[in-house]
Amino acid sequence: MKLRMIRVGLLLAGNAIGLWIASLILDEDMRLSGVAFVLAVAIFTVFVVVLEPLLSKAAERWADVLGGASALIATGLALILTSWLSDGLSIDGVGTWILATLIVWVVAAIVGVVLVRAFAKPAAP
């Protein structure tokens, strides 16, 4: 249970950093607003946690089509759903949607690996 909570915390941190960096890079076309940012990160993370396993199962079924892209697709869908349900995230333009998805996915993956290595080390025997 403790490891699961650590992973959720790391996922939240990675997603927050990914969304923030994407908003910095995409400047006017992707906006995150103050306190609503926290809600947007929470909503986004819930959608990623729910969608990724579903898409992974679909990827197993249609491996040729989806390959290893389930996390990338889950990130894009989570961005869409979060922007619909939250005032904290706004993205304009198809190109910005694609770039935001890629940036958040890459940054969250990198941050996740770094944070897991830093904080989720197995206990010494």
Side-chain angles (χ1 to χ4, degrees):
M1 182 68 164
K2 183 179 177 183
L3 184 59
R4 183 169 174 82
M5 294 303 294
I6 290 171
R7 288 185 181 177
V8 169
L10 297 176
L11 182 60
L12 278 166
N15 288 339
I17 293 168
L19 286 167
W20 177 66
I21 288 175
S23 72
L24 291 176
I25 292 171
L26 300 172
D27 197 28
E28 292 298 317
D29 292 327
M30 180 177 175
R31 292 169 301 285
L32 291 169
S33 58
V35 176
F37 169 70
V38 175
L39 180 61
V41 169
I43 292 169
F44 177 79
T45 301
V46 167
F47 282 127
V48 167
V49 167
V50 170
L51 291 170
E52 193 167 352
L54 296 174
L55 291 169
S56 290
K57 286 187 181 196
E60 289 174 9
R61 180 182 241 180
W62 299 300
D64 293 340
V65 178
L66 294 177
S70 61
L72 181 62
I73 295 167
T75 300
L77 289 173
L79 279 173
I80 291 168
L81 294 169
T82 301
S83 72
W84 286 346
L85 293 174
S86 168
D87 292 335
L89 174 66
S90 174
I91 302 174
D92 299 322
V94 174
T96 305
W97 278 100
I98 293 168
L99 287 172
T101 300
L102 289 171
I103 293 167
V104 172
W105 175 67
V106 166
V107 171
I110 291 169
V111 169
V113 168
V114 169
L115 291 177
V116 165
R117 286 188 178 162
F119 294 107
K121 295 178 183 177

